[in-house]
Amino acid sequence: MSADPGTAVLLPLVAALGCATGGDAGLDLLRYQRALGTASQDPAAGWDACATVADPGLRGDCRMAVVEAWAGAKSASTSDLLARCASLEATWMAQECAFQIGERRSDPSACAQAGAFADDCRLHLATRGFDAWMPRDARVDDPALHARMIREAEAATLSADDLRVWSAFFRRVLAQQPTLDRRPCRTLPPPLDDACWRTGGEHYHDRLNMARDQGLYPCQGGDLPGFLRTVEDPELDALRQAREPGDLCPAQGAP
C-alpha cells in the first residue's frame, strides 16, 4: 500500500462496498473517502475524520487504512501507531493493523502486538529480503547464505532453528533452478536435510500445478518442458507420473 492514504483508498473502498448497507451507505462511503483524502495531508486529522463513518466495520477499516499508510511516514512513533491499532473495535483489525506496521517499519516489536498474525509478521520480515541478498546461482548448502539467513531470522526475533524460516529459504533457492536438483539437500545436517528435501518436493508440485494450469504439460507425449525436469530424482519422477491421469491430464483419467 502506498504511504499516501489518498492514493490508498481504492482497495479498502472496494472492500467497504460489501460492508456498508442501508440508506446511509452512500454517505458512509463518501465520509470514508473524505477521511482518507484528509489523511493524505494530515494523518491525525484523517484518523479523527474516520469517526464520522457510522458503520462500525467501515469505520474500523477506514482507521486501519489510515494507520497502515501513516506507518510509511516518520510523523508518528511506532508506539503511537500501535496504540491506535489497539483502539480498533474488531480484534482482527487491531492485529492486522499491527502486522502492517511491523511490515512497513521492519519492526518485530510491532509484530509482537499482532496476535494471531504475529508469527506470520516475523516470518515475513525474516524472508522478504531474498531479492537483496540471494544470488541467482544460490545453493542450498552455501554456508555464507546460511549465516545470512540466521542473521535475518534472529533480527526478526525468530529462532535460527525455526524450520519455517529454512523452508522459505530452501524454496527460494530451489525455485531459481531451471532444472530441479535436490541432491545437495542430502549434504545438510539434520533436520535441515529433510526440510530441504520435503520443500523440494512441495516446490515440484507447484511446478506441476503451473504446467497443468497453463496447459504446458505434454499429455500427448514428447519431452518435458525444462522446468519440469529433475536431476537424478526417481521420487519426483514417480510423483509426476502418479499425477498424470486425472490431474495433469484430465482426459486420461476419464472413464
Side-chain angles (χ1 to χ4, degrees):
M1 184 178 293
S2 167
D4 179 351
T7 62
V9 67
L10 292 180
L11 287 178
L13 191 56
V14 169
L17 286 169
C19 302
T21 58
D24 292 334
L27 281 176
D28 261 357
L29 291 177
L30 180 59
R31 292 164 181 155
Y32 181 106
Q33 209 168 4
R34 286 176 174 171
L36 294 194
T38 298
S40 67
Q41 302 300 319
D42 185 343
W47 170 273
D48 293 338
C50 289
T52 64
V53 178
D55 180 82
L58 189 57
R59 183 171 59 248
D61 189 87
C62 177
R63 284 184 157 165
M64 186 164 65
V66 169
V67 173
E68 287 174 11
W70 201 353
K74 297 181 179 179
S75 56
S77 67
T78 298
S79 59
D80 180 42
L81 293 175
L82 288 173
R84 292 176 186 271
C85 287
S87 73
L88 294 173
E89 295 175 47
T91 299
W92 75 266
M93 280 190 174
Q95 295 175 350
E96 172 67 16
C97 182
F99 178 104
Q100 294 295 338
I101 293 171
E103 181 181 58
R104 295 296 296 274
R105 296 198 160 187
S106 299
D107 187 344
S109 69
C111 295
Q113 306 302 313
F117 306 119
D119 261 2
D120 286 342
C121 182
R122 296 185 184 101
L123 281 167
H124 195 167
L125 294 187
T127 61
R128 68 177 180 174
F130 287 149
D131 285 342
W133 57 267
M134 185 178 290
R136 293 294 301 173
D137 59 351
R139 291 180 55 86
V140 298
D141 55 355
D142 186 328
L145 294 182
H146 284 204
R148 179 61 184 265
M149 188 70 264
I150 290 170
R151 291 197 300 272
E152 295 293 329
E154 291 177 342
T157 66
L158 289 170
S159 169
D161 297 327
D162 192 323
L163 291 182
R164 296 170 303 171
V165 171
W166 290 104
S167 290
F169 171 83
F170 295 136
R171 181 177 289 273
R172 176 55 182 263
V173 174
L174 295 171
Q176 295 180 167
Q177 295 179 346
T179 300
L180 189 58
D181 183 1
R182 294 194 296 174
R183 293 175 302 172
C185 292
R186 289 310 191 195
T187 69
L188 299 173
L192 295 185
D193 55 346
D194 283 340
C196 179
W197 191 262
R198 287 195 305 271
T199 299
E202 293 165 1
H203 174 64
Y204 194 62
H205 269 298
D206 291 343
R207 292 191 182 195
L208 290 171
N209 291 342
M210 182 178 73
R212 176 197 62 202
D213 296 344
Q214 297 183 11
L216 300 176
Y217 195 81
C219 292
Q220 305 307 315
D223 294 335
L224 291 170
F227 69 94
L228 291 184
R229 296 174 187 168
T230 62
V231 178
E232 298 178 19
D233 204 320
E235 183 179 298
L236 293 186
D237 292 339
L239 180 157
R240 184 186 67 254
Q241 292 163 7
R243 288 189 54 181
E244 279 186 6
D247 181 10
L248 300 176
C249 302
Q252 294 182 11

